[in-house]
Amino acid sequence: DGQSTRKYGGTGLGLAITRRLVEMMKGNIALESEPGRGSIFKITLYGVAVAGTVAKIEDHKPGNAEYFIFKQANILVADDVDLNRFLIKSFFKKSDIQIIEAEDGQQAVLAAEQNKPDIILMDISMPVMDGYEAMKQIKGNAELKDIPVIALTARAMTHDKEQIMSAGFDGYLAKPVKRAELFYELSRFIPYSEGSEKGEVRSEKSGGESLPPETLEKLPEIINQLEKEFDSLFRQASESGAFNDIENFANQIRAFAQQHSLHTLTALGQDLIKHTANFDVENIDAALNSYPKLIDAIKCLIR
C-alpha cells in the first residue's frame, strides 16, 4: 500500500498468474517486446465461447422519446449561436417547458444563479467563458451543484465524449441536436408522460420508472434505505473494481428492488450479475455509472 508502481514497478505476479490461468484453459500466451518501445502480450484460447456484448440499460429508444410530454420545468440553454437556441426552443412549442437563454458561459452562470433552472444545456465552445469553466463554476456553487448539466458539442468522437463526461457533465448531446435524442436525455431528469404521434398520452413516468401505488406510499422510506444501506456498497464496488464487491452489490440491489417493484434497479442488478459472469468490464462500468442517475430518477417521484 502506498508504493508507486510507476516508480518502482510491480511484483511480476500478474503475468505469472495470467500465464497459469491461460495454461489451465488449454491456451497459450506469447510475448513480443522491444526495449524502449513496449511489449505486446498475445493470449490464445481454444474452444471457449465468447459472450456477446450485452446492450446497456435502456428503457426507451430515442425514436419513441420524440413523443414524450414533459412536466413543467425550466431549462437553461447556453449557446452563442442564435440558430441553435432557436432550434431547441422550437422543440418545446405548446409545452410546459420554459426556456431561459444565455449567449456565453458567463451569462449561463448568472442565469443559473438568478433562475435556478431544473436542467442546463451547455454548449462547450463559447466566447467569454467556455462550457467547461461555466459548468465548473455552477457545480462549485452549493445552491446550484445538484442541477444536471448536459453538454452540447459538435465533437462526436468517442474520446471527446469521454473527456466531456470525465469533466463532470451529467450528460452529452452531439450537434446538430435531434429532438428524439434531446428528449431521451431530458427524460432522465424531468418527469414526463408518454404520448403517441397523435398526441395521446399513454402513461406517466419519471426517469423510466413506473411504480405501483403501494411502493409509492413507502417511497420516502425506500429511498432512505437505499441511501443508508446501498450507498456504501455501491461506493465499495465502484472504487475497488473487485468482481466480488460488484457481484455482492448487484445481488443485494436486485433482491431489494424486486421486493419493492423497482424495475430499473432490478434490471441493473441483473445486468451487473451477467456482466461480471462474462468478465464484461466495459458494460460493468457503464452499469455502475448509471446507478446514481437511476436513484435520482426514483427520487423525482416524490417531488
Side-chain angles (χ1 to χ4, degrees), residues 13-237:
L13 284 175
L15 183 56
I17 293 170
T18 301
R19 179 180 178 180
R20 180 64 182 137
L21 286 172
V22 170
E23 290 173 347
M24 289 170 66
M25 297 175 72
K26 311 298 182 186
N28 58 63
I29 183 169
L31 164 67
E32 298 175 12
S33 185
E34 185 176 341
R37 292 187 61 85
S39 305
I40 299 174
F41 298 88
K42 294 183 179 179
I43 293 174
T44 306
L45 301 173
Y46 304 93
V48 177
V50 179
T53 301
V54 182
K56 294 177 175 61
I57 298 169
E58 190 169 301
D59 295 313
H60 300 278
K61 298 295 182 184
N64 299 329
E66 189 170 353
Y67 306 115
F68 287 177
I69 302 168
F70 292 99
K71 299 295 184 181
Q72 185 174 6
N74 295 325
I75 299 177
L76 170 58
V77 180
D79 196 306
D80 61 309
V81 179
D82 294 345
L83 184 60
N84 291 337
R85 300 196 307 276
F86 176 80
L87 176 64
I88 291 174
K89 283 172 63 179
S90 70
F91 293 152
F92 297 102
K93 284 183 177 179
K94 298 180 181 179
S95 76
D96 291 328
I97 298 294
Q98 299 296 319
I99 301 295
I100 305 160
E101 298 183 60
E103 297 181 7
D104 57 56
Q106 191 174 72
Q107 286 187 16
V109 174
L110 291 173
E113 291 172 346
Q114 292 169 1
N115 298 280
K116 306 293 191 300
D118 297 290
I119 195 164
I120 299 171
L121 301 178
M122 182 78 73
D123 183 27
I124 294 297
S125 300
M126 291 185 290
V128 185
M129 181 187 294
D130 66 17
Y132 285 113
E133 181 59 29
M135 182 275 297
K136 184 179 177 181
Q137 291 194 19
I138 289 168
K139 292 294 186 180
N141 186 320
E143 295 183 0
L144 307 176
K145 62 183 179 66
D146 294 326
I147 299 174
V149 183
I150 297 175
L152 303 176
T153 178
R155 300 174 181 176
M157 300 298 289
T158 301
H159 67 273
D160 292 319
K161 182 177 180 179
E162 291 172 353
Q163 179 184 353
I164 288 168
M165 295 303 292
S166 64
F169 284 92
D170 299 286
Y172 167 96
L173 285 169
K175 294 181 181 180
V177 177
K178 297 180 178 62
R179 177 189 176 104
E181 292 173 355
L182 171 62
F183 281 21
Y184 179 74
E185 191 70 13
L186 293 177
S187 71
R188 295 166 48 219
F189 307 102
I190 303 175
Y192 65 94
S193 300
E194 279 189 55
S196 68
E197 189 173 358
K198 298 177 181 179
E200 300 165 341
V201 176
R202 294 177 185 160
S203 61
E204 289 194 356
K205 295 194 179 285
S206 175
E209 185 71 273
S210 182
L211 303 177
E214 58 271 21
T215 301
L216 284 170
E217 288 178 10
K218 299 178 181 177
L219 204 53
E221 178 185 339
I222 290 170
I223 291 171
N224 187 49
Q225 277 186 271
L226 284 168
E227 290 178 337
K228 285 188 175 180
E229 299 176 18
F230 290 93
D231 274 5
S232 58
L233 290 174
F234 167 69
R235 284 197 301 272
Q236 184 174 347

